[in-house]
Amino acid sequence: MDSITTKNCTIHFNNICYSSLNEHIKKKNFSKIFILVDENTHQYCLPYFLEKLETTIAIEIIEIESGEINKTIDTCVGVWNTLSELNADRKSLLINIGGGVITDLGGFVACTFKRGIAYVNVPTTLLSMVDASVGGKTGVDLGHLKNQIGVISNPDLVLIDTRFLSTLPQNQMRSGLAEMLKHGLISDENYWNKFQDLSKLSLDDLDELIYESVIIKKNVVEEDPFENGLRKTLNYGHTLGHAIESYFLSNPNKTTLLHGEAIIVGMILASYISTELVGFPKQIAHHIKTLFVDYYGKVTINKSEYAPIIELLKYDKKNNHGNINFVLLENIGKPRIDCLVDDNVIIDAFEFYAS
Ligand code: NAD
Ligand code: ZN
């Protein structure tokens, strides 16, 4: 696995992570190093990371509480205050070690503190390795609205050390895997074909697959940095997936669904809709459903819940000039963006999922 460079930012994998970081620190002459973690990455990832870090520069650890609920401007204020109290200056470096919550929030803190200090991201969940690591999106939530405040900015380096996945809970692994499956469906049949036996995937197989997934996302983002076209394909499964995720989150009777678990349902629904509207082969839609349900199980969505979930799509609609735009598939690796879908077809898709 080589390093991947995009937009002045290099993504390093496994063995070369730490030599590259140590070299970078030497070259840049930072005044102080701050490391942002949550309680889990403090326990599971920081000790190994510190062993590998070779520097005489002073290091301060800043810990915030884990969870999306803490991805807020209030948490940023706490981190900005701590940086200030610990005399961080414009030559300081912030290293964010954690999942997407830490890298999104830490990236935002770094590029706003004193109008911007250098930062390095060390994604430690599968989702943050294959998704949040590329594209420069940083930010926080505003109340219930996700990622409403933020800026686009790239870290100096991204370090993907897949060893950190060994402590990641299984449900978080499966959630991240959903984004890799999405990368296969929207862009590359060969890559997709490597996921045909999900239960047999080992951490060793994942190394190469993670690397390829990062390349797929990088290529999409580079071709369409302003999200006018191709980048929208990364939303495959996300239109209905987000609505299902929000519905489950706001409904105390439902089990909690992680982002990737909701996206899996969204991708099955979108593959059915694709057969109806853009000629996606029916047998592939059936195959996707079987493959995903065998591995992820089936989420119970009652008939009476179809309407409130479809209602939630209207939030996306408001943000999109009145249109609910789906990404559909003409075939594996052949996505079509900006597709309008009638409510009746969505209901048929729910029936297909339930059957
Ligand atoms: P997360 O950051 O909440 O991490 C999930 C859980 O895993 C947390 O409890 C965390 O403490 C724990 N954890 C992290 N690494 C661990 C490890 N190695 N061992 C044990 N536990 C570990 O969630 P996530 O799924 O990584 O990220 C979700 C966030 O990412 C969302 O806020 C989303 O908006 C954002 N995101 C951003 C982008 C982007 O382009 N910037 C893309 C996708 C998602
Ligand atoms: Zn996603």
Side-chain angles (χ1 to χ4, degrees), residues 127 131 179 182 238 259 263:
L127 187 134
D131 196 350
E179 303 288 355
K182 178 193 75 181
H238 280 60
H259 173 73
I263 293 324

Side-chain angles (χ1 to χ4, degrees), residues 28 46 105 113-114 119 125 132 210 226 254 258 283 290:
K28 290 285 179 161
L46 185 64
L105 184 142
F113 185 76
K114 291 191 187 278
Y119 69 104
T125 62
I210 290 168
F226 300 111
K254 307 299 281 185
L258 290 180
Q283 80 276 12
T290 309

